[in-house]
Amino acid sequence: MKNTKPLISILLPVHNSAATLVECIQSLLNQSYKQIEIIAIDDFSSDKSTTILNSFKRQDKRLKIHKNVKRYGLSVTLNRMVKLAKGNFIAFMDTDDMSSPNRLKKQLNFLLKNTDVIAVGSQCTFIDEGSKKIGRSDFPTENNLIYQNPLHGISMQFETVLINKKMLPKDVLRFHTGSNPFIYSDIFMMLMPYGKFANLEDFLHFHRNDPKI
């Protein structure tokens, strides 16, 4: 019987991420929503990132691995992954982070019920290098409050976002190479004309960062 559940494409840019990559990938493969593909592009790592990726690929074919022939940077790597993504729903992931098992299931259910919302994030638990909890987010949940200040890490954490790609014209989702360090804020601005934003109240993501930064 053909699987009729929507496919979620998770974009995972990788560069010298061996220290945290195992926990990251395990948290994705352990998602309660199983209809996923993980598109990982290794941006010319010099550590054991590629070895780790290949090890997981042998265990789970939902992991699709590619490698850049030289260091291209985050924007180019993300754009390559967007083109490779087959799902109508796009999720993003940072190799330093981990997602709770129900993250994608809860976000997808929300988008399917709220057809005017183009992107939904979640609350974050902030952790340090040793995975110790150091803080929690308090992101606004409603579109008008998010819209007032749609900056990465202030009103939404981009690594928690699930986007309904069906609401976007073709080839609109594109990262600009000259926009660092505001690459994610630019994407928020680009999405605004096509639908509302929302954040779930649930804490579904562990973000390895200092919340005060």
Side-chain angles (χ1 to χ4, degrees), residues 4-161:
T4 58
K5 291 184 178 180
L7 177 66
I8 297 177
S9 298
I10 306 168
L11 309 189
L12 181 67
V14 178
H15 179 71
N16 290 344
S17 307
T20 56
L21 189 55
V22 171
E23 285 184 313
C24 171
I25 295 177
Q26 284 176 337
S27 78
L28 297 178
L29 295 177
N30 290 334
Q31 288 294 302
S32 58
Y33 187 80
K34 302 300 183 184
Q35 190 67 4
I36 64 172
E37 63 171 4
I38 304 168
I39 301 173
I41 294 185
D42 187 346
D43 192 21
F44 210 62
S45 293
S46 58
D47 64 0
K48 294 183 178 180
S49 292
T50 302
T51 301
I52 294 171
L53 288 172
N54 286 328
S55 176
F56 275 105
K57 183 181 179 181
R58 288 191 290 269
Q59 301 173 37
D60 199 314
K61 294 183 178 179
R62 293 178 298 171
L63 181 59
K64 320 292 184 184
I65 299 173
H66 305 267
K67 186 169 183 176
N68 290 337
V69 295
K70 64 178 182 179
R71 181 81 193 276
Y72 285 117
L74 183 58
S75 297
V76 172
T77 301
L78 283 167
N79 286 332
R80 285 194 65 198
M81 289 188 285
V82 168
K83 289 182 178 180
L84 291 167
K86 296 179 181 178
N88 283 326
F89 295 88
I90 304 291
F92 298 87
M93 190 67 176
D94 191 299
T95 52
D96 285 339
D97 295 357
M98 294 172 285
S99 287
S100 298
N102 289 324
R103 172 197 163 189
L104 295 178
K105 182 178 181 179
K106 288 189 174 184
Q107 289 182 309
L108 178 63
N109 287 340
F110 182 90
L111 290 179
L112 293 176
K113 292 177 182 177
N114 297 273
T115 55
D116 57 342
V117 176
I118 191 169
V120 60
S122 78
Q123 303 300 325
C124 290
T125 299
F126 299 103
I127 57 177
D128 63 15
E129 292 182 358
S131 299
K132 181 181 177 181
K133 295 179 182 179
I134 55 176
R136 302 185 95 188
S137 68
D138 187 22
F139 298 135
T141 58
E142 298 179 7
N143 178 71
N144 61 324
L145 297 176
I146 298 171
Y147 194 91
Q148 290 175 8
N149 200 1
L151 296 177
H152 176 53
I154 297 177
S155 61
M156 296 184 90
Q157 193 73 40
F158 192 79
E159 293 86 352
T160 73
V161 168

